[in-house]
Amino acid sequence: MGWFSTTPFLNVPNSIQITYRKSSWWKLNQQRLTPWIFLFPGLLLFLVYVIWPIFNSLYISLLQWDGLSPAIYVGLSNYIELLDDEYFYISLMNNLKWLILFMLAVPIGLGLAIFLNQTIFGIRLIKSLFFFPFVISQVVIGIIFSWFYNPRGVIGPFLDKLGLSNYAILADENFATYGIIFAGIYPQIAYCMILYLTGLNNLNTDQIEAGRMDGAKGFSLFKNIILPQLKPATFLAIVVTVIGSLRSFDMVAIMTQGGPYGSTNVLAYYMFETALSEYGYRMGYGSAIAAVLFTIMMFYILFFIYRMYQSEKKGL
Amino acid sequence: MKKIIATLTAILAMGFSSSFAGTLVINTDLTDPAPKAAFEWAFNKFQEENPDVTIEVNNFDHEGYKQAIRNFLTTSPPDVFNWYAGNRMLPFVRAGLVEDVSDIWSDTGWVDGNLTEGMSHAKKPMTIGGKQWGIPYTYYQWGVYYRKDIFEANGISVPTTWDEFVAACATLKAAGVTPITIGSKYLWTTAGVFDYLNLRTNGYEFHMALTKGEIPYTDPRVHAVFDKWDELVKPGYFLENHASLAWQEAIPPMINGEAAMYVMGNFSVALFKEGGLTNDNLGFFQFPEITPGIPMAEEAPTDTMHIASGAKNKTDAKRFLIFLSRADVQEEMNKTLGQLPVNSGSKVDPDPFLEAGLNMLNNAYAMAQFYDRDAPAEMASEGMKGFQEYMVNPDRRDKILERLEKVRQRVYK
């Protein structure tokens, strides 16, 4: 028993000596290795379902492939074609419209949250009613709004009175996208509202009282005392809204299928249409669109990660 | 204990019977009630005649099937599957996923020996590279469905020439009725109008050459088609806001009497009648002649049955295809489907629309499959988008046709 010779001077209880004996490579590196072992299943899934598909799509974007026949390597020609594709630019522009207009959900959500942040009878019920659009499926919202917009539908009679008889916004190439965004923003407002409501619950009342004593009230109180405290909620609301606008797919798919004649396409739907829809199966071209969308998202994600990193550094 | 043994024996027996006798795996997308009933009848009948075969059906949702077929044909091919004729089956044939069944067509693998005779008129759409890749079991006609009573009230008789047709539209418009209803949200309805305008203006050969990519979309003959289309679009003879309506949503205006005609397939009759129209006020006429003297070809999309090249039970699969081609089987199935049997030996129910269709197709010079089945998928998708855009903005015709020409050069290269 080799360890006897190394420990006779220490005069410690047996149990500790045993742990000494076990101070193997594992014991020495346990602290460093344990996180990786726990991370391993997650990392494996991330590699298989996220990282590998990214590189695989980038590779497919260099091919001409219908998913059945053998693929042909065509270099960058899918990207070159993309530069000359009218529908691609329309989709890109629409993505921009989505991004800008979707941001409205943040202030509107904040307004609603403040409005609902009261203690009156039945407020819980009212709050949950306001939160309802976020709970129901996007598909349902899309279908209901297309019924709404139908000239023979709910708002038809009102439009008639406004002199817009028989006006179908979803058939108007200039305004159809706005019609879809309006439908899409409806649940997004509810989402932002709930983020702000939780934020408002955690307000520091001492600060508000101190501010009141210093004579702050009304808008100045809101701007200088409350809004800064809501910063985490604002950050989160902006993040989810940007992501929501960039992945706008379901609303377009349900309400217009990118129509009329491609005027409401967004990159995500156009990618689906070219690569996977009934008339599509241009896997290479669809992947090229995906690569562009990925690049745009990447810029945003890198900014997001940078911001998180900065604030964590401050927090430490 | 006895019970358990009995169950075990039963299970074993089932297991053996399905592995010894042929199991025929059929993948279909028959979720709509009529096709489902028709095929259930056919499956039972086939099993009755061939007790040694067990049929195993995998039923897919109609929309999901279009995706699923790509997967199951490559990974776990069934013995038999249904699909469509023309260019729609081309990618699968080209990828070697469909079994060549030319022997059925040439009667060498044909028991009753009269397929060539009964279905020769439908052979062309089933042929790729000189071989046949499946058999058709049903088709239906396209044409103009109209409100007889509205026509009568305005003193219009059924138009047989283009001038009469345009005059009828003008009369209807003046009377405050939308002449032609259409719902183009899902695009394909516009292709029905385009196909007929092209078939009547330039003829079947030109239409086929165009969908095969042999003619530029900027060709003056294509412009001629749009000149005719202009005569309907520019005066506003089509339903307003059609781009936001599905084809079914364009039917109520006609049921309400706000619109008088619909260029449609025969499957629409069921919906018209559900909405309250009857044989007394709903009528059908052949799309009128445009260029005099051009033989009248018709639009008749055909549904087909194929054998997968990876099928395990090709013998029974062929027996099933032969069974499905028989005049008596097609007659019975199409009675349920409310469509037309392809085998000319079959009869149809005394229904005015089916009789009109059968009469029209039997005398047709040739049959087109429909723009999105005759043209390759990519071309069809862009083409139909273009047709829809044109119908909303007829002024953009040149721009649209130039864009389609660009697509044509890419797709067919």
Side-chain angles (χ1 to χ4, degrees):
Chain A
M1 297 292 190
W3 54 273
F4 269 108
S5 59
T6 60
T7 51
F9 311 107
L10 289 172
N11 197 21
V12 282
N14 247 10
S15 60
I16 295 180
Q17 284 169 356
I18 286 165
T19 57
Y20 259 82
R21 166 169 133 75
K22 279 200 173 169
S23 71
S24 52
W25 182 86
W26 163 244
K27 188 71 197 167
L28 287 171
N29 295 289
Q30 196 180 18
Q31 289 276 328
R32 267 187 324 122
L33 285 178
T34 312
W36 290 106
I37 291 170
F38 279 108
L39 279 174
F40 178 73
L43 277 180
L44 187 73
L45 291 178
F46 189 70
L47 269 174
V48 172
Y49 291 109
V50 179
I51 303 295
W52 182 73
I54 288 174
F55 285 98
N56 198 31
S57 320
L58 290 176
Y59 169 66
I60 293 175
S61 74
L62 304 176
L63 305 176
Q64 183 189 324
W65 186 40
D66 68 358
L68 290 171
S69 313
I72 307 163
Y73 179 80
V74 291
L76 288 174
S77 75
N78 281 327
Y79 291 93
I80 294 164
E81 194 191 321
L82 210 54
L83 289 177
D84 192 30
D85 183 348
E86 205 177 312
Y87 292 120
F88 171 68
Y89 291 108
I90 293 174
S91 310
L92 203 61
M93 272 309 291
N94 283 335
N95 261 107
L96 204 65
K97 287 179 195 164
W98 271 87
L99 193 63
I100 293 167
L101 286 173
F102 233 51
M103 278 304 152
L104 285 176
V106 178
I108 298 173
L110 175 61
L112 275 179
I114 289 170
F115 173 63
L116 290 175
N117 192 36
Q118 321 180 24
T119 41
I120 53 163
F121 177 72
I123 192 71
R124 273 166 190 272
L125 178 72
I126 295 168
K127 274 184 193 168
S128 36
L129 286 179
F130 271 90
F131 187 54
F132 190 64
F134 185 67
V135 180
I136 51 178
S137 154
Q138 298 253 318
V139 178
V140 176
I141 292 172
I143 291 172
I144 290 176
F145 267 84
S146 356
W147 289 341
F148 250 144
Y149 291 145
N150 188 327
R152 294 157 190 280
V154 183
I155 57 169
F158 298 99
L159 287 179
D160 285 351
K161 287 203 180 97
L162 290 171
L164 282 167
S165 84
N166 250 337
Y167 179 70
I169 189 168
L170 292 183
D172 184 330
E173 57 174 71
N174 297 315
F175 293 101
T177 292
Y178 299 107
I180 305 173
I181 295 175
F182 188 73
I185 219 171
Y186 168 66
Q188 193 65 32
I189 288 172
Y191 194 12
C192 292
M193 183 199 77
I194 210 80
L195 289 173
Y196 277 118
L197 268 177
T198 40
L200 286 171
N201 271 335
N202 298 329
L203 283 185
N204 186 338
T205 41
D206 295 352
Q207 278 190 24
I208 297 172
E209 272 170 34
R212 281 238 164 85
M213 279 183 199
D214 289 342
K217 55 184 171 188
F219 187 69
S220 128
L221 178 82
F222 170 72
K223 189 182 152 223
N224 296 313
I225 309 287
I226 297 184
L227 209 52
Q229 291 196 57
L230 287 175
K231 209 177 151 198
T234 309
F235 184 61
L236 204 58
I238 290 176
V239 167
V240 295
T241 308
V242 170
I243 292 176
S245 75
L246 283 178
R247 42 164 230 193
S248 48
F249 169 85
D250 21 22
M251 286 293 177
V252 177
I254 294 151
M255 295 178 72
T256 59
Q257 282 79 42
Y261 36 88
S263 64
T264 58
N265 246 332
V266 289
L267 287 177
Y269 189 78
Y270 190 41
M271 166 185 84
F272 166 80
E273 192 184 87
T274 48
L276 297 166
S277 75
E278 190 178 346
Y279 300 112
Y281 296 113
R282 300 183 67 203
M283 299 296 180
Y285 197 59
S287 299
I289 300 168
V292 172
L293 187 59
F294 175 70
T295 315
I296 297 170
M297 288 231 185
M298 211 52 203
F299 270 111
Y300 167 70
I301 291 167
L302 285 178
F303 168 74
F304 173 62
I305 292 175
Y306 175 75
R307 278 286 303 268
M308 271 215 314
Y309 177 69
Q310 291 290 322
S311 64
E312 291 222 341
K313 240 181 19 186
K314 269 185 223 159
L316 278 173
Chain B
M1 194 61 197
K2 253 185 191 167
K3 218 177 178 182
I4 293 172
I5 290 171
T7 329
L8 274 177
T9 344
I11 290 169
L12 281 177
M14 271 165 68
F16 282 127
S17 67
S18 65
S19 56
F20 281 147
T23 307
L24 187 64
V25 183
I26 303 177
N27 284 13
T28 69
D29 62 336
L30 308 161
T31 37
D32 293 329
K36 204 174 172 188
F39 268 92
E40 262 162 21
W41 175 86
F43 293 151
N44 288 336
K45 172 95 172 153
F46 181 73
Q47 215 137 29
E48 227 171 77
E49 292 180 13
N50 306 276
D52 55 323
V53 183
T54 314
I55 292 184
E56 197 184 305
V57 183
N58 300 317
N59 213 348
F60 291 78
D61 151 69
H62 183 67
E63 288 303 313
Y65 190 73
K66 293 167 188 164
Q67 301 278 340
I69 187 170
R70 305 176 69 87
N71 295 334
F72 70 62
L73 280 185
T74 43
T75 54
S76 55
D79 297 315
V80 176
F81 63 96
N82 68 310
W83 195 238
Y84 310 100
N87 230 312
R88 269 299 182 86
M89 64 177 181
L90 182 63
F92 303 109
V93 172
R94 206 196 277 140
L97 298 170
V98 186
E99 182 78 2
D100 171 15
V101 293
S102 306
D103 56 341
I104 299 182
W105 284 87
S106 62
D107 291 347
T108 48
W110 171 244
V111 193
D112 293 5
N114 60 354
L115 185 66
T116 328
E117 203 180 299
M119 301 222 275
S120 56
H121 59 296
K123 193 171 180 177
K124 228 175 176 181
M126 301 308 302
T127 308
I128 293 173
K131 292 173 179 165
Q132 287 76 47
W133 303 93
I135 60 106
Y137 60 88
T138 183
Y139 59 10
Y140 54 86
Q141 83 272 22
W142 271 65
V144 186
Y145 292 83
Y146 74 109
R147 282 285 298 265
K148 285 181 187 168
D149 48 339
I150 298 178
F151 267 49
E152 238 165 67
N154 292 288
I156 305 166
S157 54
V158 169
T160 54
T161 65
W162 181 249
D163 291 337
E164 283 172 25
F165 185 68
V166 175
C169 288
T171 314
L172 289 164
K173 182 89 183 170
V177 177
T178 303
I180 310 167
T181 183
I182 187 169
S184 67
K185 183 176 177 182
Y186 296 94
L187 306 177
W188 54 267
T189 46
T190 58
V193 180
F194 172 80
D195 281 1
Y196 263 122
L197 288 169
N198 195 21
L199 285 170
R200 294 287 185 262
T201 312
N202 297 310
Y204 176 78
E205 278 75 17
F206 179 86
H207 184 66
M208 283 299 136
L210 182 75
T211 49
K212 282 204 185 86
E214 289 156 10
I215 290 160
Y217 276 78
T218 44
D219 191 281
R221 287 167 295 180
V222 179
H223 273 284
V225 174
F226 281 81
D227 286 339
K228 293 294 167 199
W229 212 341
D230 269 349
E231 291 177 38
L232 302 179
V233 173
K234 287 198 166 157
Y237 290 163
F238 285 101
L239 186 72
E240 252 187 299
N241 292 321
H242 56 79
S244 72
L245 304 174
W247 76 269
Q248 300 98 325
E249 291 171 312
I251 280 185
M254 200 158 138
I255 290 169
N256 301 338
E258 293 162 30
M261 291 184 273
Y262 203 167
V263 180
M264 247 300 139
N266 197 55
F267 51 85
S268 59
V269 169
L271 271 185
F272 281 125
K273 290 193 170 167
E274 239 170 68
L277 297 186
T278 61
N279 290 346
D280 295 330
N281 49 17
L282 181 69
F284 171 83
F285 64 84
Q286 187 179 23
F287 198 91
E289 180 183 73
I290 295 179
T291 307
I294 281 190
M296 304 276 255
E298 305 300 335
E299 193 105 294
T302 311
D303 291 354
T304 55
M305 203 48 100
H306 307 265
I307 302 177
S309 61
K312 291 189 190 72
N313 188 356
K314 284 182 186 165
T315 324
D316 287 331
K318 264 187 188 158
R319 278 160 78 191
F320 184 72
L321 256 59
I322 289 166
F323 164 82
L324 216 56
S325 330
R326 261 171 28 199
D328 61 318
V329 174
Q330 292 210 351
E331 183 176 320
E332 194 59 38
M333 281 181 73
N334 281 287
K335 264 181 199 166
T336 319
L337 287 169
Q339 298 191 154
L340 299 170
V342 181
N343 195 319
S344 59
S346 318
K347 289 183 205 70
V348 292
D349 265 350
D351 169 276
F353 299 100
L354 289 180
E355 280 168 349
L358 193 70
N359 185 31
M360 188 174 90
L361 293 186
N362 281 345
N363 296 315
Y365 167 68
M367 274 169 264
Q369 286 301 307
F370 204 72
Y371 186 74
D372 71 349
R373 295 188 191 178
D374 286 326
E378 283 176 65
M379 187 69 238
S381 133
E382 294 293 326
M384 295 190 307
K385 255 189 225 170
F387 300 154
Q388 190 200 32
E389 181 168 2
Y390 161 77
M391 286 186 72
V392 180
N393 303 289
D395 304 333
R396 292 191 200 155
R397 183 213 288 193
D398 291 328
K399 213 184 98 196
I400 294 167
L401 289 179
E402 269 161 34
R403 191 172 69 221
L404 292 188
E405 174 54 18
K406 210 167 80 182
V407 176
R408 182 190 74 93
Q409 287 175 4
R410 189 193 73 220
V411 170
Y412 296 94
K413 74 177 170 218

